[in-house]
Amino acid sequence: MNDISSSIVNTLKDKPAQPARCIARSLDIPKKVINHHLHILLKDKVTQNSDYTWSVNNKSSDTEPKNASNHSREKVMPENNDNIENNNFAFDSLQAIRNRLLDLTGRNRLLNFKHGRTGFIRVIDELPNQLAETILEGDEVTFVPVEEPTRDDLIEHGYIVINEKGVDVKAKTDPTAKEWAKIKGFNTSYELSQSSASHEAKHNDDNIQSLLFPRELEAQLRNIRSKANTAIEETGANILYLAFGFLEWYEDENSDVARQAPLYLIPVKIDCASLNKDLGTYTYTIEYTSEDIISNLSLREKLKHDFHLELPELTDELTPEEYFKSIQQQLLGHKPKWKLKRFATLAMFDFGKLLMYLDLDPERWPQGSNNIQNHEILQKFFAREGSDEGSVNSSFGNEYAIDSLEGVHDLYPLIDDADSSQHSALVDAIKGKNLVIEGPPGSGKSQTITNLIAAAIAQGKKVLFVAEKMAALQVVKSG
């Protein structure tokens, strides 16, 4: 390996699961050079994860020196040991659980996004490559409205006439935002131009043109900001993206129901910038979150499962136009009825459950003893035949006679109230047993978690507490 390759491998050893941009930043090497090494020179030594981060490949033999004991143990193991399948593992049951996480129906916005009335902002009169480049460079970009016509504008364009008495008379209905934008010289089509470069000022500024009047735009963006921030507060995950390009597809050749799926998604955050005193409305900006650009993972699985087609890979170096071209070459050639819609839309898309689906794929786990089929906990859920140990460990826990336990207050201390069943759960957890605690609201689950964390810390252990929603973390933290 050359010096750059060695540096990349050492960086990933020190901190696995890093995106290419973080590796480039830490090594102070251009990202294109890093990607060249990751995708080509180090393809046998590093692995790209489902979230597009990179880690050292566990199967690589020359990226990490092994001590003598490890080396001797590997020589004893048969070469094909990695492919040994656990016959007692119910893969069909695991697949059934995974399928419940995978929503490939029309309810999934990633497969059937509808440009209705609210919940999104559509972009007009912009160039995909130039807009994407501006955002990815870290610049804040501002959504701008169509300026409402003044009285003089309406008179000039014949919407108002003045009669003999000098009174304004409405000659025709006030123009819509789309009609007025067209009069003002905007390209009002949602199909963005294919031009890759433009010297026009409107394509080289930090604005994104919408097709809404000021108050409509403010209301929509305020609503989007509220929902996006709530998602971050409750789940810790950003779900706001600026989507470039939509695949218009059909369930089968006889279907007349067109569905649209976003293709090139840039994760962004939205902020309320300032008050426009002239218009009396607030302006809103979006900014790149620095997370990886992602393709539509739901669409990838849908195409694979239902059509036996592969969605083209999306890397950080690909521009929207380049990705659109690969979509046309790899998909539309097989499906002439399908179309590529050159739309750009700011909207919310949730990938959460799909990432869980990918994580539970046995093919994505290391082979051999570290494969998902050999995971101690999962074996208890998916074993075809139980064992004495499994049947005991998988049953309901026993309630201890707390007062009879030796050293109970030293080994299993409490900092919050607990009844005997809650204290018994604490005892099992401190003993290292795997367990699930369930109960209705108000039954003391949060207090039990608080006691468990305190007891573990008292023994010098570190505790990782994970919750689906931020509110659950706050309850325990404040408790």
Side-chain angles (χ1 to χ4, degrees), residues 62-121:
D62 58 343
T63 57
E64 183 176 355
K66 298 179 177 64
N67 58 39
S69 60
N70 285 341
H71 184 67
S72 60
R73 182 165 60 248
E74 284 185 0
K75 291 176 71 173
V76 174
M77 294 172 62
E79 277 189 16
N80 62 347
N81 185 68
D82 285 353
N83 299 322
I84 296 176
E85 183 174 315
N86 183 351
N87 294 324
N88 195 39
F89 194 90
F91 287 98
D92 52 345
S93 297
L94 174 62
Q95 186 59 43
I97 293 294
R98 292 181 69 220
N99 289 342
R100 290 168 60 181
L101 295 169
L102 187 62
D103 183 5
L104 299 183
T105 69
R107 296 187 300 270
N108 188 344
R109 283 162 60 93
L110 286 160
L111 297 176
N112 186 25
F113 185 81
K114 296 179 180 178
H115 288 95
R117 298 184 62 182
T118 61
F120 59 88
I121 301 293

Side-chain angles (χ1 to χ4, degrees), residues 22 56 61 71 73 97 143-144 156 159 173 183 188 207 243 283 304 324 329 335 338 360 405 426 434 476:
C22 291
V56 174
S61 59
H71 184 67
R73 182 165 60 248
I97 293 294
F143 275 97
V144 293
E156 179 184 351
Y159 288 90
T173 306
I183 291 173
T188 59
N207 295 331
T283 58
K304 185 185 301 182
F324 293 168
Q329 292 174 342
K335 295 288 183 180
W338 294 8
L360 290 173
L405 292 177
L426 173 64
N434 299 314
V476 173

Side-chain angles (χ1 to χ4, degrees), residues 172-388:
K172 50 185 176 179
T173 306
D174 287 345
T176 64
K178 182 174 183 177
E179 292 169 344
W180 190 245
K182 188 174 292 187
I183 291 173
K184 300 297 289 184
F186 291 104
N187 179 356
T188 59
S189 173
Y190 291 122
E191 287 275 351
L192 301 185
S193 171
Q194 294 189 30
S195 175
S196 59
S198 169
H199 299 293
E200 290 187 66
K202 64 181 179 181
H203 294 148
N204 291 278
D205 56 18
D206 292 333
N207 295 331
I208 303 181
Q209 184 63 52
S210 71
L211 198 53
L212 297 170
F213 285 134
R215 297 193 183 281
E216 295 175 290
L217 179 63
E218 181 192 33
Q220 294 274 29
L221 289 171
R222 182 172 60 244
N223 179 48
I224 291 173
R225 178 174 180 260
S226 174
K227 291 181 178 179
N229 288 345
T230 298
I232 293 175
E233 291 170 2
E234 290 189 349
T235 67
N238 176 59
I239 61 173
L240 185 63
Y241 296 86
L242 183 61
F244 290 88
F246 285 75
L247 178 67
E248 184 176 276
W249 63 280
Y250 298 83
E251 285 283 3
D252 56 61
E253 297 300 326
N254 298 321
S255 175
D256 293 326
V257 180
R259 296 180 172 179
Q260 294 179 357
L263 294 171
Y264 184 105
L265 297 115
I266 299 179
V268 295
K269 61 181 180 180
I270 184 170
D271 287 308
C272 182
S274 59
L275 175 66
N276 186 324
K277 295 181 179 179
D278 295 331
L279 299 176
T281 58
Y282 283 93
T283 58
Y284 286 81
T285 62
I286 60 171
E287 184 180 1
Y288 178 42
T289 64
S290 296
E291 298 170 309
D292 286 332
I293 304 168
I294 57 176
S295 60
N296 188 334
L297 299 178
S298 290
L299 181 60
R300 180 183 301 280
E301 296 301 317
K302 179 70 173 180
L303 293 175
K304 185 185 301 182
H305 279 74
D306 292 7
F307 302 100
H308 305 290
L309 294 174
E310 193 71 30
L311 185 69
E313 291 291 336
L314 176 59
T315 64
D316 289 348
E317 275 61 51
L318 283 180
T319 65
E321 295 291 356
E322 290 171 336
Y323 194 59
F324 293 168
K325 186 176 181 180
S326 64
I327 292 289
Q328 291 172 328
Q329 292 174 342
Q330 292 184 225
L331 294 182
L332 302 190
H334 298 281
K335 295 288 183 180
K337 189 177 179 180
W338 294 8
K339 298 178 182 177
L340 172 65
K341 295 292 185 180
R342 301 174 54 82
F343 301 154
T345 303
L346 178 73
M348 286 166 282
F349 301 99
D350 190 357
F351 289 89
K353 289 187 177 180
L354 181 66
L355 294 176
M356 293 171 63
Y357 170 85
L358 296 174
D359 286 343
L360 290 173
D361 183 358
E363 295 297 324
R364 291 176 174 266
W365 284 59
Q367 295 302 310
S369 60
N370 291 325
N371 191 260
I372 189 172
Q373 62 183 315
N374 298 316
H375 194 283
E376 178 186 0
I377 296 176
L378 291 179
Q379 280 184 334
K380 295 174 183 177
F381 286 103
F382 297 104
R384 296 184 186 277
E385 298 178 4
S387 63
D388 292 339

Side-chain angles (χ1 to χ4, degrees), residues 1-11 27 29 34 37 41-42:
M1 290 189 293
N2 60 32
D3 291 342
I4 295 179
S5 294
S6 298
S7 298
I8 293 173
V9 170
N10 290 331
T11 299
L27 297 178
I29 296 174
I34 296 295
H37 280 72
L41 302 182
L42 291 171

